[in-house]
Amino acid sequence: MTSQSSHSTTFFEKTEYQSLIDKINKIRGYGLSKILTIPQIAILGDQSSGKSSVLEAITQLSFPRNKDTCTRFATQVNLRQTIRREMMAYIDGEDEFNEQYQALQDASWNIHKIVSDANEILCDNTDISEKVLEITISGPNLAPLTVIDLPGYINTTIDGQDKTIIKTIHDINTKYIKDTRTIILAVVPANIDLNNMYVLSEAERYDPNFERTVPIVTKPDTVEPDLLPSLIEILLNKRKYMKLGYLVMRNSGFKDIDMSWDEAKQKEDQFFKSSPLWNQVPECRKGRISVKNLLGDLLYSHIKNELPQLRKEILGLIGNVEMEIRDLGHPITSLGTARVRYIDHILKLRSSLTALLNGQYTTEYIHSHKVLLKYPKPKVLSKYPKPKEETQSDEDSIKDGHNNGGNDIESDIGLGLELTTDNPTHYYVRSQLQKLYQSYNASMKTNQHVLSNIRIKELVLLYKGNELPGFISFNTLTQIYSETLVQWKAITKEHMGNVHLYINKVIAELIVKTADPLLSDLLLSEFDQFYKIQVSLINETIQDIFEDESIPFTMNKYYYDTILSLRKANAEDTIKEKANRLQGTARSSQDIQRFLATFDEVEKMDEINYNENLAVNDLEEKLVSYCKVARKRIVDTVLLQTIERQMINRINRYFDKLITVDDTAISSRLIEPPAKMMRREELQTKVDVLQKSLREL
């Protein structure tokens, strides 16, 4: 390699330029180009358009001209200005090759051998490779620059070639062309019409305004003299306008393969003096020295424009990668660590769930889960609607333990982990359970008058035994009462279905939202088993409650006082009725005697019916009074001994089950698999590259 001319040295030795190119080369060396695109120059063109000679002229390196080696993969050349002269070659993933060509000294440089060895590695089983051969040259007199020579476009294949090679080359080149940080150095042979140049049409597709496309005209010495004026018009930007203008360079042909760079430059200078027409082309636009200077200037400006956005992208990627690393959690590599992590997790879940069910939230819990969890509205217990004319006195409300009939169910059943006055339809769990119980209580109350007097009379006749007229046996009372009890069972079953739906949904969704995703399926599965067991116990408890209530029996003073009061009131009403009838018809002693005679006859005629009606009325009053007491007792017992006792107060049994989960289930979920370990290492390497690059920029 020969030293550069003083013309090029003056430009490239500018301190600011050197510093900027050094930064780009350093971050490229860190590996940033594998993560983000970096400002660069890519040489593109049709096969045999002179791309390799352009690369050689710019880099002063002698590359192979054999098309079987130089067009089968991309070659990136990095020029660095350093005190020490050395070369290295690199192919991603090829450790043996990289070790062989690491930090070569000047005496052992052999570009042809490097390209040949790379060809054997990359194209052993394929006609084209998507990998890149990266050659880095460092030295005190080198102009810092980075260029990439891409495989040349082809339109057809020869016998034995893979037909997909055309598309593969197109895809490789498109990756660079569409990158807005790539300056497209489009190689255009002078002896081919511009309208027929595929490379220009491809560049225009992704750079429609030609803001980063620079056509470089090669092989100007092949143009016939009479066509030279037309070529000059193109180079002067008068035929097809290009924002960055045109470049022209006489490249070395195959016959000049052994010619030195300096000799090739002298021959090029002589050519541009061969015709006065070439004087019309500015010096800065023709010749290899001018081409290199102009490209260096373009790359420098391009880098300065792209740096702010590049820094922004690096910062954004650092944030995303670090977030993914955090999402992976701390690495767990042993069963002991996994068990500790598992126990710690379920202890936190138990604290949160217990507080949630009790309506007592810790500050940490509220701050960690500031969300509103919505659940589907349970079915309203409307099977037995409450009559509009029926009201409940304040005294009854107090006795029943609530202040309203409970018919009003909010449109959304919700759990507010952060309760606000802005959305009053979301409640704490306890508040919503209370509403469900109020609805249940109201539905039970509606049915205390479900049996009419006529129906009771029918049942009395149905179950009548050998008791005296006007008397009803205890068995008859029990049979009639059981019809109300059956309806209460149906209401209770419907109510418990709503409660189960709500509680199960609340707890399951809390587990999903707060649990480690690796454990959520295990925690949900164990909760499902626990819930089924508790539901079975709840159903048994409800069955016991109704069995206990199947025989009417109570020592409740309210019941006895009510019965006595009703009987006393009925007796007084009967006496008053007879007195009123007697008073309204008696006018003389003879009238009184006639009335009493008539009354005695009526009394004798209706005696049997009267006694039966009196017994039925008395039974109805007993049922109404007893059902009111029994209903209150059933509601309270269901409330206390089912969900409260078997579910909420025994939620710790769920966590007792979790403690006994076997080690296999824990380790299979928490111990980090090899793929995750590899991903963690990749992310850490990536963030290291990004951080180093950001510090450099």
Side-chain angles (χ1 to χ4, degrees):
M1 177 183 292
T2 61
S3 61
Q4 297 183 99
S5 68
S6 59
H7 181 72
S8 62
T9 303
T10 302
F11 173 79
F12 287 113
E13 284 186 350
K14 290 181 180 179
T15 304
E16 184 180 2
Y17 177 86
Q18 293 284 350
S19 175
L20 198 59
I21 297 298
D22 285 346
K23 287 179 183 295
I24 294 299
N25 283 334
K26 282 183 180 180
I27 64 176
R28 191 186 302 276
Y30 295 154
L32 184 65
S33 58
K34 298 178 180 63
I35 303 172
L36 286 172
T37 57
I38 295 175
Q40 58 194 354
I41 298 174
I43 305 175
L44 291 98
D46 294 345
Q47 196 172 74
S48 302
S49 61
K51 293 190 304 82
S52 296
S53 59
V54 170
L55 178 65
E56 182 177 310
I58 294 174
T59 63
Q60 299 186 21
L61 298 175
S62 177
F63 283 89
R65 302 291 181 87
N66 187 318
K67 65 180 181 179
D68 292 333
T69 59
C70 65
T71 62
R72 299 178 69 183
F73 49 83
T75 302
Q76 176 177 308
V77 180
N78 305 320
L79 302 180
R80 292 179 178 179
Q81 191 173 64
T82 60
I83 297 176
R84 186 176 179 179
R85 291 173 56 84
E86 62 182 19
M87 173 193 288
M88 63 177 292
Y90 175 87
I91 299 175
D92 187 28
E94 304 295 338
D95 296 338
E96 185 176 346
F97 176 88
N98 298 338
E99 185 176 353
Q100 179 182 355
Y101 291 108
Q102 184 176 11
L104 299 177
Q105 301 305 310
D106 192 3
S108 58
W109 290 4
N110 189 331
I111 299 298
H112 286 253
K113 186 175 186 307
I114 291 174
V115 173
S116 177
D117 289 348
N119 182 68
E120 290 183 6
I121 294 173
L122 299 179
C123 302
D124 184 29
N125 298 313
T126 183
D127 289 321
I128 197 78
S129 174
E130 297 184 12
K131 286 193 174 184
V132 178
L133 168 63
E134 189 172 340
I135 300 175
T136 301
I137 310 293
S138 303
N141 297 320
L142 289 177
L145 191 65
T146 295
V147 291
I148 301 172
D149 181 32
L150 298 175
Y153 290 108
I154 60 174
N155 296 319
T156 187
T157 58
I158 61 176
D159 292 343
Q161 273 189 324
D162 186 352
K163 300 299 182 182
T164 63
I165 188 175
I166 299 174
K167 183 178 184 303
T168 302
I169 292 175
H170 178 272
D171 292 343
I172 291 173
N173 292 348
T174 298
K175 182 178 68 173
Y176 288 88
I177 293 177
K178 69 180 182 180
D179 177 15
T180 58
R181 293 200 173 106
T182 297
I183 294 175
I184 304 169
L185 186 59
V187 179
V188 181
N191 56 356
I192 298 178
D193 194 320
L194 289 180
N195 292 328
N196 297 325
M197 292 307 301
Y198 182 74
V199 65
L200 289 181
S201 66
E202 283 296 287
E204 188 173 8
R205 178 182 300 181
Y206 298 100
D207 181 29
N209 297 323
F210 293 115
E211 295 178 343
R212 52 187 179 87
T213 301
V214 185
I216 178 168
V217 178
T218 60
K219 304 180 182 181
D221 52 337
T222 63
V223 176
E224 297 295 333
D226 56 338
L227 297 178
L228 183 58
S230 177
L231 176 61
I232 297 298
E233 284 191 353
I234 291 174
L235 294 173
L236 294 177
N237 219 357
K238 294 180 179 180
R239 295 279 298 275
K240 182 178 179 64
Y241 179 77
M242 307 296 290
K243 187 173 182 179
L244 298 177
Y246 289 80
L247 301 174
V248 61
M249 185 184 73
R250 182 193 178 278
N251 52 312
S252 302
F254 187 77
K255 64 181 183 299
D256 301 324
I257 191 170
D258 295 325
M259 185 181 297
S260 69
W261 189 88
D262 284 336
E263 290 175 335
K265 179 183 179 304
Q266 290 177 1
K267 201 167 184 178
E268 181 184 53
D269 291 342
Q270 292 173 2
F271 169 76
F272 285 127
K273 293 177 182 178
S274 63
S275 171
L277 293 176
W278 286 110
N279 293 331
Q280 299 179 45
V281 180
E283 289 295 328
C284 64
R285 292 278 169 177
K286 62 186 178 183
R288 58 189 61 197
I289 294 297
S290 297
V291 165
K292 188 171 185 178
N293 281 336
L294 192 141
L295 292 178
D297 192 19
L298 283 176
L299 183 60
Y300 169 71
S301 301
H302 193 51
I303 291 172
K304 287 191 68 175
N305 291 335
E306 290 293 329
L307 274 185
Q309 182 62 28
L310 183 59
R311 293 190 189 99
K312 184 177 179 180
E313 289 180 15
I314 292 174
L315 276 171
L317 271 179
I318 289 175
N320 293 337
V321 175
E322 288 181 341
M323 182 180 297
E324 186 175 349
I325 292 175
R326 286 195 299 271
D327 291 342
L328 291 176
H330 296 292
I332 300 176
T333 57
S334 67
L335 176 60
T337 306
R339 191 76 188 178
V340 170
R341 175 72 64 83
Y342 175 75
I343 295 297
D344 179 66
H345 187 78
I346 64 175
L347 288 176
K348 290 180 179 178
L349 179 61
R350 180 172 66 178
S351 175
S352 298
L353 183 54
T354 303
L356 181 67
L357 295 177
N358 291 336
Q360 299 171 344
Y361 303 100
T362 64
T363 303
E364 179 184 2
Y365 184 79
I366 294 175
H367 289 173
S368 300
H369 306 285
K370 287 187 176 180
V371 294
L372 289 176
L373 307 182
K374 285 190 175 182
Y375 302 97
K377 174 185 174 184
K379 295 183 295 182
V380 179
L381 299 177
S382 56
K383 189 173 182 180
Y384 307 102
K386 182 176 180 178
K388 293 183 179 180
E389 65 272 10
E390 181 183 343
T391 59
Q392 183 181 31
S393 67
D394 292 340
E395 180 181 357
D396 286 343
S397 296
I398 295 173
K399 290 176 181 177
D400 289 342
H402 59 85
N403 295 325
N404 59 61
N407 276 341
D408 295 331
I409 300 252
E410 299 293 346
S411 58
D412 284 314
I413 302 298
L415 161 64
L417 299 189
E418 185 183 31
L419 196 61
T420 65
T421 56
D422 296 336
N423 195 346
T425 61
H426 294 273
Y427 297 93
Y428 291 91
V429 171
R430 306 302 303 209
S431 299
Q432 195 53 54
L433 285 177
Q434 180 63 25
K435 281 191 169 289
L436 291 174
Y437 282 127
Q438 288 175 354
S439 174
Y440 170 53
N441 187 49
S443 297
M444 292 281 282
K445 176 177 171 54
T446 301
N447 291 278
Q448 62 181 324
H449 304 299
V450 69
L451 297 181
S452 65
N453 183 276
I454 296 174
R455 177 59 178 159
I456 291 176
K457 189 171 184 178
E458 291 175 355
L459 293 173
V460 167
L461 294 175
L462 178 64
Y463 299 121
K464 184 171 178 60
N466 60 353
E467 63 270 8
L468 295 174
F471 290 88
I472 295 176
S473 68
F474 181 72
N475 288 336
T476 301
L477 173 64
T478 301
Q479 292 291 341
I480 295 174
Y481 169 66
S482 67
E483 291 211 0
T484 299
L485 202 64
V486 168
Q487 297 180 70
W488 284 350
K489 282 184 179 180
I491 296 171
T492 302
K493 181 179 180 180
E494 185 179 3
H495 163 69
M496 292 311 300
N498 288 336
V499 174
H500 288 321
L501 175 67
Y502 177 69
I503 289 293
N504 192 292
K505 184 75 174 180
V506 167
I507 296 177
E509 191 162 339
L510 178 72
I511 292 172
V512 170
K513 284 184 174 292
T514 61
D516 186 327
L518 297 174
L519 294 173
S520 59
D521 67 316
L522 174 62
L523 299 178
L524 286 171
S525 175
E526 292 294 329
F527 174 70
D528 184 61
Q529 295 180 31
F530 159 79
Y531 203 87
K532 288 178 180 177
I533 292 173
Q534 298 309 116
V535 167
S536 178
L537 293 174
I538 288 171
N539 291 338
E540 290 178 6
T541 301
I542 292 175
Q543 185 66 27
D544 291 341
I545 291 171
F546 278 96
E547 285 182 6
D548 293 342
E549 293 291 341
S550 62
I551 304 299
F553 174 78
T554 182
M555 297 298 293
N556 189 284
K557 186 175 184 301
Y558 168 78
Y559 169 71
Y560 284 115
D561 289 347
T562 301
I563 295 300
L564 293 175
S565 297
L566 289 172
R567 287 178 175 174
K568 181 180 179 181
N570 288 337
E572 291 176 349
D573 290 342
T574 300
I575 294 172
K576 287 180 180 179
E577 180 185 358
K578 290 185 177 183
N580 290 335
R581 290 172 62 188
L582 178 62
Q583 184 178 1
T585 56
R587 300 199 180 261
S588 64
S589 59
Q590 293 178 349
D591 292 336
I592 292 173
Q593 289 177 357
R594 284 195 297 272
F595 170 77
L596 290 175
T598 303
F599 184 79
D600 288 341
E601 291 177 2
V602 173
E603 288 287 284
K604 289 176 182 179
M605 292 174 60
D606 295 337
E607 181 177 0
I608 296 177
N609 291 335
Y610 174 78
N611 289 336
E612 292 297 335
N613 289 335
L614 184 63
V616 168
N617 291 337
D618 186 63
L619 175 58
E620 181 182 14
E621 292 164 356
K622 286 181 180 179
L623 284 173
V624 170
S625 299
Y626 183 77
C627 285
K628 189 169 186 178
V629 174
R631 174 189 58 80
K632 176 68 167 59
R633 185 169 56 242
I634 290 173
V635 170
D636 290 345
T637 308
V638 168
L639 185 150
L640 175 64
Q641 296 192 20
T642 57
I643 293 295
E644 289 293 328
R645 177 173 296 176
Q646 301 291 356
M647 188 65 67
I648 294 179
N649 293 340
R650 295 183 181 175
I651 194 66
N652 281 337
R653 292 183 178 181
Y654 164 54
F655 294 98
D656 292 341
K657 285 175 59 65
L658 293 180
I659 293 293
T660 62
V661 169
D662 62 89
D663 292 341
T664 302
I666 297 173
S667 61
S668 64
R669 287 168 173 81
L670 291 183
I671 292 182
E672 196 160 83
K676 189 175 180 180
M677 291 181 183
M678 185 179 298
R679 179 57 179 167
R680 187 189 299 277
E681 292 176 0
E682 290 174 355
L683 291 172
Q684 191 57 56
T685 300
K686 190 173 183 179
V687 78
D688 290 343
V689 170
L690 291 168
Q691 289 174 342
K692 286 172 63 178
S693 300
L694 187 62
R695 287 194 295 268
E696 187 65 42
L697 295 177

